[in-house]
Amino acid sequence: MTTTAPTYHVPVLLAASVDGLDVRPGGTYVDVTFGGGGHSREILRRLGPDGRLFGFDQDLDVLANVPDDDRFTFVRSNFRYLANWLRYYDVPAVDGILADLGVSSHHFDDPERGFSFRFDAPLDMRMNVRSGQTAADVVNRYDEAALARIFTLYGELRTGRRLAAALVRARREKPVATVDDLVAIARPLLGRDREKKDMAKVFQALRIEVNHELDALHELLAAAVGALRPGGRLVVLTYHSLEDRMVKNYVRAGNVDGKVEQDFFGNRLSPLRPVNSRVIVPDETEQQANPRSRSAKLRIAERVETADESE
């Protein structure tokens, strides 16, 4: 029997994502962003009795969603350690890896975690509450130049430098400790017509820094190439341009910079081949039913057999 928190998270592009894995009944798969377990349960439904599924998540809140299924192994860890854990479980290669990036609806809806500007709460934003710095640590300890870099690069905010300066001025009077503290400082610097979108970018920038999301994604992509058997599938759902650009470049060129290398004959040397020629996005019906899906992009790639592997 599976114990599930039904409102924890509504999976985005559920059928298209799992279809992209091309699940074989006896295959081995990894859901590196287990969360509410929606994608994992669908993978398990398609697996046969000899199939295996590993689910990764670093958040304690997901434990209530873990299925009671002998084919499933839960790994309480960040997906950046994928290669280490597969070695630990003596798994030489897998048939598919699925990643639903970003923040679950559960985190946005939990008033205590500080991920959303809708609720006042301590400025935390850690996916793993056991370790690491909080968003409050970032806004109170980073110098102005570092804060400006975060808001400009990770939030793509035109007002990033001004926001950094305003935070430094404000914290001289008292620490910026709560969501409301941050919102009060940022709001005067945001255009009224774009206030919600730009405030979301402020929170996105801090969340990415707190959780080292782009570094973790880089490590995941490299580990996925090493873990997938030739013909295995990599399925990734992204929600903002920074992570989507990294995934697109890795699929295209085998690196996050997108620099394509070619052999003597002009053939691309990327270890991955795109399966879908165009990025997949939710239809209007799903976007209306699940607002989180509106910015989602789904990319599917297949591991290419190298010359060494074919020998």
Side-chain angles (χ1 to χ4, degrees):
M1 179 178 177
T2 301
T3 302
T4 306
T7 60
Y8 186 98
H9 179 69
V10 178
V12 173
L13 287 168
L14 175 61
S17 299
V18 181
D19 286 349
L21 285 175
D22 192 24
V23 175
R24 298 188 301 113
T28 300
Y29 297 87
V30 186
D31 178 355
V32 298
T33 47
F34 175 74
H39 289 109
S40 283
R41 284 190 294 278
E42 180 60 21
I43 295 168
L44 287 169
R45 190 183 70 80
R46 302 187 190 194
L47 280 177
D50 297 324
R52 297 182 73 186
L53 174 63
F54 293 85
F56 280 66
D57 210 295
Q58 60 187 332
D59 194 339
L60 276 170
D61 290 355
V62 310
L63 294 177
N65 306 323
V66 174
D68 181 12
D69 191 312
D70 291 341
R71 299 169 299 169
F72 182 81
T73 300
F74 179 70
V75 182
R76 188 179 162 197
S77 175
N78 190 299
F79 57 55
R80 70 194 307 168
Y81 304 116
L82 172 67
N84 295 348
W85 282 102
L86 291 180
R87 281 195 297 269
Y88 175 81
Y89 283 106
D90 196 25
V91 178
V94 301
D95 297 285
I97 297 170
L98 185 147
D100 183 1
L101 303 176
V103 181
S104 73
S105 50
H106 166 77
H107 289 130
F108 281 129
D109 293 339
D110 186 345
E112 303 300 320
R113 300 291 290 272
F115 284 100
S116 172
F117 54 86
R118 292 179 294 148
F119 315 106
D120 190 26
L123 268 180
D124 194 316
M125 299 194 197
R126 290 174 298 172
M127 298 288 191
N128 180 357
V129 296
R130 296 174 297 164
S131 63
Q133 64 184 354
T134 66
D137 294 329
V138 172
V139 298
N140 288 292
R141 297 176 183 175
Y142 281 30
D143 63 28
E144 186 175 326
L147 289 171
R149 178 187 62 81
I150 290 168
F151 292 124
T152 302
L153 181 62
Y154 296 160
E156 299 179 296
L157 284 162
R158 296 178 182 177
T159 56
R161 293 182 183 278
R162 292 170 57 204
L163 176 55
L167 282 167
V168 171
R169 287 195 300 271
R171 74 192 192 192
R172 293 191 189 118
E173 302 296 326
K174 69 180 185 70
V176 182
T178 69
V179 168
D180 280 359
D181 290 342
L182 176 59
V183 168
I185 296 164
R187 180 171 283 139
L189 303 176
L190 308 179
R192 185 169 297 180
D193 57 332
R194 289 185 51 83
E195 183 179 305
K196 286 187 177 179
K197 289 185 177 180
D198 284 349
M199 193 69 76
K201 290 182 176 181
V202 171
F203 278 68
Q204 171 186 294
L206 286 172
R207 191 197 77 225
I208 289 173
E209 175 67 15
V210 166
N211 296 289
H212 307 288
E213 290 181 21
L214 298 185
D215 291 338
L217 176 56
H218 189 178
E219 292 178 38
L220 170 65
L221 292 169
V225 169
L228 286 167
R229 66 166 180 81
R233 295 285 184 89
L234 174 65
V235 177
V236 186
L237 274 159
T238 65
Y239 296 89
H240 60 75
S241 60
L242 297 175
E243 60 191 15
D244 185 62
R245 190 179 305 124
M246 290 177 67
V247 175
K248 179 181 178 180
N249 286 345
Y250 220 95
V251 170
R252 176 172 176 265
N255 58 74
V256 294
D257 299 319
K259 184 178 179 180
V260 177
E261 296 184 5
Q262 297 179 330
D263 64 15
F264 178 79
F265 301 101
N267 299 310
R268 244 178 351 112
L269 294 177
S270 173
L272 297 169
R273 177 185 66 83
V275 172
N276 51 326
S277 57
R278 292 186 178 182
V279 66
I280 300 171
V281 298
D283 61 24
E284 188 174 342
T285 300
E286 181 169 2
Q287 291 184 41
Q288 290 294 328
N290 185 2
R292 179 177 179 265
S293 72
R294 291 171 185 167
S295 59
K297 293 182 179 180
L298 176 64
R299 297 188 184 274
I300 305 168
E302 187 173 272
R303 176 75 159 81
V304 176
E305 187 175 54
T306 65
D308 290 341
E309 290 166 332
S310 63
E311 292 176 356

